[in-house]
Amino acid sequence: MTRGGILTGTAAIALLVGVVVLAGGPIASAQSKKEVPLDTKGEASERPWKRYAGWPTRDESKYNTLGNLATPPAPKQPRKITGPITGDAKKGAELAADRNRGGSCLACHVMGPAGGANLPGNVAPDLSEIGNAGREDEWLFNYIYDARVYNPDTVMPPWGSHGFFNDQDINDMVAFLKTLKSPAAFKTTLDDPTKRPPPVEKRDNLDPIENPGMWAVDKAQELWKQKSSIGFSCNTCHSDPQTTFKTWAASMPKWEPRLNKVLGVEEFVTRHAKATTGANWLMETDDNLAMSVYLRFLANGTPIQVDTSSAEAKAAIERGKELSHRKVGQLNMACTDCHGIVANHWIRGQWLGEPKGQYDHFPTWRTSLLKVWDIRQRFQWCQVNIRADELPPDAKEYGDLELYLASQNEGLKLSVPGIRH
Amino acid sequence: MRQLSRRDALVLGASGAALTVTGWSTRASAAAKEAAEQIDKFTGGKTAEKGKVSIELPEIAENGNTVPLSVTVDAPMTADNYVSEILVVADGNPNPGVATFHLSPLAGKAEASTRIRLATTQNIIAVAKTSKGEFFTNQKLVKVTIGGCGG
Amino acid sequence: MAEKPRLKIPKEAKKGEVIEIKTLLPHVMESGQRKDKDGKPIARKIINKFACEFNGKPVFTANMEPAIAANPYIQFHAKVEESGTFKFTWTDDDGTVTTAEEKITVS
């Protein structure tokens, strides 16, 4: 009797014997050329991929994703504005503070009294005195409409040409900008992004009373011994995970020639479980997350050290680097915008970090969501918030990006599960 | 002019308790009013003295879902004089009540820590009661951060 | 596979010492404020009471409201004069009581 992808009787036993021999002493090195079993036929996540319930439901197929190019080209010339702009400055102030229109101007700019000067960001210049800066109306209009006509590398989203605001909206905002002639009055020092101290993560993420994510370790230890429908568990072949996997996770992700893509720990778990015990642990399910946490937990303290020298790894890292530079979504941003050009600044009340330090604590417990997230879900969420369609978690592009990110985190010691907001 | 009731005084900070209320939207003042009522009920109408109570909270909470809180009362915990109850209210939450801690002299130290949910930037107010019937209070403002892009 | 309550409490102490006790219980603490995907309110279901006794005598109790965060964490102290057993109880709105015990040797 055959079930697709799951080993039958004698084949399973033969493999089992082979793997058990592998785990032994001197014989192991002679046998080590044997490939780790992986299911190469199926997908590693739900198909068709459906966005998570509760996430924004916008369809952004008109714009780039990490898997697809679609964004219309930037305009070549600023739009001509004849005559002075008249608009409703009061309405402009409201629009500038409206978070529903792509985050609000306050995400990046201090803007005088807009939004009550409540925790504005400082990714971009303070505009509180722009009314005195001698800027022409046409310049102000076009900077909001599509700043790429003045600065092709701008981080500023194309608010007009990508459909966030219509011409009247922008006129109103220009009218508001023209009233800004004095520094913002902050209610507390914390509201001033230049005085706000950068956050320091002080929690002990490995303290089970501090971090509910540690329950995933307990869960994985139970899953490890849980017998599948064909009678096998991880424990059947790996009876001493503390020793066997003491450093393994720090070498991931890794290029997998049988799949022609980079495999992260999460996808490895899906494919390896399917090909051995038959357990069905799709990516981003609770079981998969528990196992992914656990496999890294076992390697905690090991410095991240991924293959960056083989031809395939080099090519994947190059692709990942390019992807990190690609502008995606309706907001038209790249990873390297927030986590490169404007890293170490406030985006509204949140701190933008550099890539180094962004990988060693994944999967992480998220206190705002009461859930463990892996790095792929983090990629997906970033994309959806830049108003780009996300890819399924096992997308090859995410693999390239993850390998690039891991290479930027070389030397940092694993500390999983993390704890973050 | 109408004499301020103790409840009004608590809200307006006129009796040395120095309680202030941030935000004057209808919802905010309704929550603040209810918080004051809960405090009033706890003290039986008595005015709590500002002091002896210290509240540890982050100045900016990274999200409102889990904010670490610690309340300590600088008062003895002996059999004949101990902190018997600590009330905690949040004056900007839809339901301002947070917790009431009950201590016996066996607790040894008048301190309680937990993690709380905050709907918005607001004051956390703690009121301690001693076995002798005294009341002490303090409050702290917590700013709940605003997300950049939704991430 | 239910998650277990976590307790952090010393196994030994000196007579008269004031020890620190930390507790964490897995629980969603459904506040009653949330709505489901159809817009219907999700009913409140929280742990409304946590109690700690030592050798049968009350030490510390917390009456909790929905403002206590999910996976309720409670930290407090206890003055120990004798060896014995700490008993912890968590009471759910629906009446379910979860209990745990820890012994301590006091010399």
Side-chain angles (χ1 to χ4, degrees):
Chain A
M1 155 198 61
T2 317
R3 277 196 308 233
I6 296 171
L7 299 168
T8 58
T10 40
I13 294 166
L15 174 73
L16 179 61
V17 168
V19 173
V20 166
V21 168
L22 240 170
I27 302 169
S29 47
Q31 297 266 4
S32 62
K33 293 211 177 73
K34 211 180 180 77
E35 282 176 334
V36 172
L38 287 178
D39 170 51
T40 55
K41 292 191 180 55
E43 307 290 355
S45 66
E46 282 288 340
R47 287 293 190 281
W49 177 254
K50 266 193 354 248
R51 188 168 296 174
Y52 286 98
W55 287 27
T57 49
R58 297 175 288 249
D59 165 28
E60 304 287 4
S61 50
K62 270 200 320 197
Y63 303 101
N64 288 352
T65 69
L66 288 184
N68 186 47
L69 294 173
T71 300
K76 290 192 169 50
Q77 298 295 333
R79 287 175 55 187
K80 277 259 159 287
I81 305 295
T82 50
I85 286 178
T86 53
D88 182 348
K90 186 161 177 282
K91 192 142 186 297
E94 285 164 23
L95 288 170
D98 187 351
R99 272 192 87 215
N100 294 316
R101 301 272 209 129
S104 93
C105 309
L106 290 166
C108 300
H109 294 278
V110 176
M111 292 187 79
N118 189 359
L119 287 170
N122 65 344
V123 156
D126 184 336
L127 299 177
S128 304
E129 294 178 273
I130 193 159
N132 280 338
R135 290 293 185 183
E136 300 289 332
D137 287 7
E138 181 178 294
W139 189 90
L140 290 171
F141 182 92
N142 278 288
Y143 220 97
I144 299 173
Y145 183 81
D146 197 321
R148 291 174 293 182
V149 299
Y150 298 125
N151 175 10
D153 297 322
T154 189
V155 176
M156 175 91 154
W159 299 107
S161 59
H162 278 199
F164 288 93
F165 297 106
N166 60 32
D167 285 2
Q168 189 54 59
D169 293 333
I170 299 179
N171 286 344
D172 291 341
M173 287 192 282
V174 170
F176 171 60
L177 289 174
K178 293 203 291 188
T179 68
L180 294 179
K181 294 180 179 180
S182 50
F186 297 107
K187 290 198 186 80
T188 72
T189 337
L190 293 173
D191 284 303
D192 181 349
T194 63
K195 296 205 171 72
R196 209 180 299 156
V200 179
E201 181 51 69
K202 284 194 286 237
R203 288 172 289 204
D204 180 1
N205 57 301
L206 299 180
D207 178 354
I209 288 191
E210 182 66 65
N211 187 356
M214 285 292 289
W215 272 313
V217 173
D218 292 3
K219 180 174 184 158
Q221 287 170 326
E222 286 181 41
L223 287 172
W224 199 268
K225 299 202 174 94
Q226 189 175 279
K227 287 200 158 79
S228 67
S229 53
I230 55 169
F232 296 128
S233 69
C234 312
N235 200 60
T236 312
C237 300
H238 305 293
S239 56
D240 184 13
Q242 269 106 323
T243 310
T244 314
F245 299 105
K246 203 161 162 59
T247 61
W248 177 75
S251 67
M252 295 294 278
K254 196 188 281 191
W255 180 259
E256 176 47 62
R258 286 170 283 172
L259 287 153
N260 213 35
K261 67 196 284 202
V262 171
L263 273 201
V265 170
E266 292 78 14
E267 190 171 354
F268 182 93
V269 164
T270 308
R271 294 185 180 282
H272 182 63
K274 192 129 189 264
T276 55
T277 67
N280 192 29
W281 291 337
L282 288 181
M283 287 174 77
E284 295 184 5
T285 58
D286 286 345
D287 289 348
N288 184 301
L289 289 166
M291 293 298 290
S292 306
V293 163
Y294 184 54
L295 286 163
R296 287 190 181 82
F297 174 80
L298 291 170
N300 271 346
T302 310
I304 293 171
Q305 191 90 37
V306 293
D307 170 28
T308 55
S309 53
S310 69
E312 293 87 358
K314 279 196 169 124
I317 289 172
E318 198 47 49
R319 286 192 302 270
K321 188 173 180 187
E322 276 179 44
L323 288 168
S324 75
H325 280 90
R326 180 186 295 179
K327 299 272 201 182
V328 298
Q330 192 184 4
L331 280 169
N332 204 55
M333 285 174 167
C335 310
T336 50
D337 285 340
C338 291
H339 299 292
I341 300 172
V342 300
N344 300 315
H345 286 86
W346 293 99
I347 185 159
R348 203 62 197 261
Q350 294 175 325
W351 185 251
L352 290 171
E354 296 168 19
K356 184 156 191 170
Q358 302 253 330
Y359 186 66
D360 52 344
H361 57 276
F362 271 91
T364 187
W365 175 259
R366 294 210 56 185
T367 60
S368 56
L369 302 164
L370 305 176
K371 215 177 170 297
V372 171
W373 270 26
D374 62 20
I375 190 70
R376 301 292 172 99
Q377 190 161 6
R378 203 29 175 129
F379 289 166
Q380 290 174 310
W381 179 244
C382 276
Q383 250 111 82
V384 170
N385 278 283
I386 300 302
R387 304 200 176 198
D389 284 336
E390 81 279 29
L391 309 177
D394 48 335
K396 61 174 163 44
E397 291 86 355
Y398 283 164
D400 292 338
L401 190 62
E402 186 182 339
L403 183 58
Y404 177 52
L405 181 61
S407 74
Q408 294 174 297
N409 279 264
E410 286 229 313
L412 291 187
K413 297 179 178 159
L414 285 180
S415 185
V416 175
I419 182 166
R420 293 287 191 277
H421 96 96
Chain B
M1 189 167 97
R2 177 174 74 83
Q3 178 87 345
L4 287 173
S5 71
R6 279 188 212 93
R7 182 176 310 160
D8 291 345
L10 277 168
V11 171
L12 298 170
S15 341
L19 296 172
T20 55
V21 173
T22 57
W24 285 107
S25 69
T26 322
R27 212 173 181 215
S29 45
K33 189 157 176 277
E34 205 193 312
E37 281 170 8
Q38 288 191 17
I39 293 170
D40 213 36
K41 189 168 171 210
F42 181 73
T43 64
K46 270 178 89 170
T47 306
E49 188 188 311
K50 181 145 195 227
K52 295 198 193 290
V53 177
S54 35
I55 301 174
E56 218 180 284
L57 276 166
E59 282 191 297
I60 300 186
E62 61 187 5
N63 65 70
N65 218 19
T66 176
V67 184
L69 162 75
S70 207
V71 182
T72 312
V73 188
D74 181 18
M77 290 295 284
T78 60
D80 59 356
N81 187 14
Y82 61 98
V83 174
S84 56
E85 283 172 64
I86 305 173
L87 171 76
V88 180
V89 298
D91 74 359
N93 270 357
N95 297 314
V98 176
T100 307
F101 302 110
H102 302 262
L103 297 85
S104 77
L106 284 178
K109 193 173 177 197
E111 183 181 285
S113 305
T114 184
R115 297 177 196 144
I116 64 177
R117 287 185 180 126
L118 297 175
T120 182
T121 294
Q122 60 190 292
N123 294 296
I124 303 302
I125 307 160
V127 186
K129 177 182 181 178
T130 71
S131 57
K132 289 195 155 144
E134 298 166 295
F135 292 94
F136 302 103
T137 186
N138 205 345
Q139 70 176 52
K140 193 156 183 196
L141 176 70
V142 186
K143 243 184 131 50
V144 177
T145 203
I146 301 172
C149 48
Chain C
M1 276 177 274
E3 295 142 338
K4 296 191 185 66
R6 305 276 204 199
L7 298 169
K8 189 167 185 185
I9 174 169
K11 288 202 159 36
E12 293 170 350
K14 297 240 177 333
K15 185 169 152 66
E17 193 179 334
V18 176
I19 61 167
E20 181 187 77
I21 299 175
K22 291 185 184 183
T23 69
L24 180 73
L25 183 79
H27 196 282
V28 68
M29 297 292 279
E30 192 60 66
S31 65
Q33 297 289 327
R34 294 200 310 162
K35 294 193 167 58
D36 65 16
K37 57 182 172 62
D38 301 319
K40 291 203 325 275
I42 304 172
R44 167 189 149 147
K45 189 173 184 300
I46 68 167
I47 298 290
N48 59 52
K49 187 171 162 186
F50 163 81
C52 170
E53 279 181 2
F54 183 66
N55 289 345
K57 301 198 207 87
V59 177
F60 179 93
T61 303
N63 289 111
M64 299 185 275
E65 304 279 350
I68 299 294
N71 302 316
Y73 166 79
I74 308 279
Q75 179 202 316
F76 57 100
H77 291 78
K79 186 169 186 182
V80 285
E81 302 280 7
E82 56 185 359
S83 297
T85 307
F86 280 98
K87 188 169 176 210
F88 307 96
T89 55
W90 292 264
T91 309
D92 191 305
D93 278 344
D94 69 8
T96 318
V97 179
T98 306
T99 60
E101 280 186 9
E102 282 288 337
K103 288 189 170 51
I104 188 168
T105 308
V106 176
S107 49

